[in-house]
Amino acid sequence: EAGVVQSPRYKIIEKKQPVAFWCNPISGHNTLYWYLQNLGQGPELLIRYENEEAVDDSQLPKDRFSAERLKGVDSTLKIQPAELGDSAVYLCASSFTSGSGELFFGEGSRLTVL
Amino acid sequence: GIQVEQSPPDLILQEGANSTLRCNFSDSVNNLQWFHQNPWGQLINLFYIPSGTKQNGRLSATTVATERYSLLYISSSQTTDSGVYFCAARYNFNKFYFGSGTKLNVKP
């Protein structure tokens, strides 16, 4: 069974440019998460979806960040315009909403803003 | 939200040594997981352990939910065990709260 798939793995852009990250969760997982991880720190939640509904986006900087999960499966996280401080790893994770709700992560997308 | 504290923050071991990593959490949880972040940055699931004890090879974990802590044991450590170990906790199906991690360096 395929795990959580993310792309691109690495992205280097100049500040003020836009960037987008894509995530495909584990089949059947209706909860999808986007996390931000800065160097030396634990992951921090940006947004959580249950199916296509964003149920927790309180930590998403909405002035420049946006996310969508239109059909309740894959998701896209966008930053426009990117700032130097956005350099980090963007992690996607998924889980079932019921049962154990065990969390599984993708390999992450490492963003460098120059 | 739930406060999650991990200790120690850094740990250096000689290959073959044993170690115990601790995760304290501030509130009731019904999901507690341990992850290993490898040098390439991927978070690998080690244990889903809201209570009780589990073992997987040289690794084992114990969660005492009533006392709000979990322990991860690594026996006969190997260089491939190096990386950062995170615990994450949540109550019901709300957000997961992560600790700041334990950075382990196993030297040959």
Side-chain angles (χ1 to χ4, degrees), chain A residues 5 7 19-25 30-34 46-57 60-62 64-80 91-93:
Chain A
V5 179
S7 67
V19 63
F21 305 110
W22 176 81
C23 173
N24 188 257
N30 44 5
T31 303
L32 183 147
Y33 313 75
W34 283 103
L46 288 172
I47 189 167
R48 174 169 64 100
Y49 283 94
E50 289 185 9
N51 300 306
E52 60 274 7
E53 181 183 0
V55 296
D56 185 352
D57 63 355
L60 189 72
K62 298 181 183 64
R64 297 184 300 107
F65 287 65
S66 64
E68 60 182 15
R69 193 185 186 199
L70 294 176
K71 296 183 179 180
V73 180
D74 56 350
S75 175
T76 302
L77 176 70
K78 298 179 181 177
I79 308 174
Q80 182 169 9
L91 295 162
C92 181

Side-chain angles (χ1 to χ4, degrees), chain A residues 9 33 35 37 41-43 45 48 50 56 59 91 96-107, chain B residues 30-31 33 35 37 39-43 45 47-48 86 88 90 93-101:
Chain A
R9 288 294 313 281
Y33 313 75
Y35 283 89
Q37 187 175 25
Q41 299 181 20
L45 182 69
R48 174 169 64 100
E50 289 185 9
D56 185 352
Q59 301 303 309
L91 295 162
F96 287 113
T97 300
S98 59
S100 73
E102 188 174 355
L103 191 66
F104 294 87
F105 281 91
E107 293 180 298
Chain B
N30 55 11
N31 184 323
Q33 291 184 238
F35 297 89
Q37 190 162 41
W40 295 271
Q42 184 164 14
L43 284 156
N45 289 39
F47 293 102
Y48 163 75
F86 289 100
R90 76 172 179 181
F93 288 95
N94 297 310
K95 65 186 287 184
F96 283 86
Y97 294 86
F98 281 79
S100 53

Side-chain angles (χ1 to χ4, degrees), chain A residues 4-15:
Chain A
V4 178
V5 179
Q6 290 188 245
S7 67
R9 288 294 313 281
Y10 304 93
K11 189 74 175 179
I12 301 173
I13 61 173
E14 295 192 345
K15 62 181 181 182

Side-chain angles (χ1 to χ4, degrees), chain B residues 19-78:
Chain B
S19 63
T20 300
L21 282 58
R22 187 177 180 101
C23 173
N24 293 332
F25 41 93
S26 63
D27 210 337
S28 300
V29 300
N30 55 11
N31 184 323
L32 190 291
Q33 291 184 238
W34 284 97
F35 297 89
H36 175 217
Q37 190 162 41
N38 62 26
W40 295 271
Q42 184 164 14
L43 284 156
I44 306 297
N45 289 39
L46 295 178
F47 293 102
Y48 163 75
I49 187 165
S51 64
T53 297
K54 290 186 178 179
Q55 180 154 8
N56 184 2
R58 297 180 296 103
L59 273 59
S60 63
T62 295
T63 297
V64 183
T66 53
E67 297 187 19
R68 300 182 181 169
Y69 72 88
S70 183
L71 302 174
L72 177 69
Y73 305 96
I74 304 174
S75 64
S76 305
S77 59
Q78 300 176 359

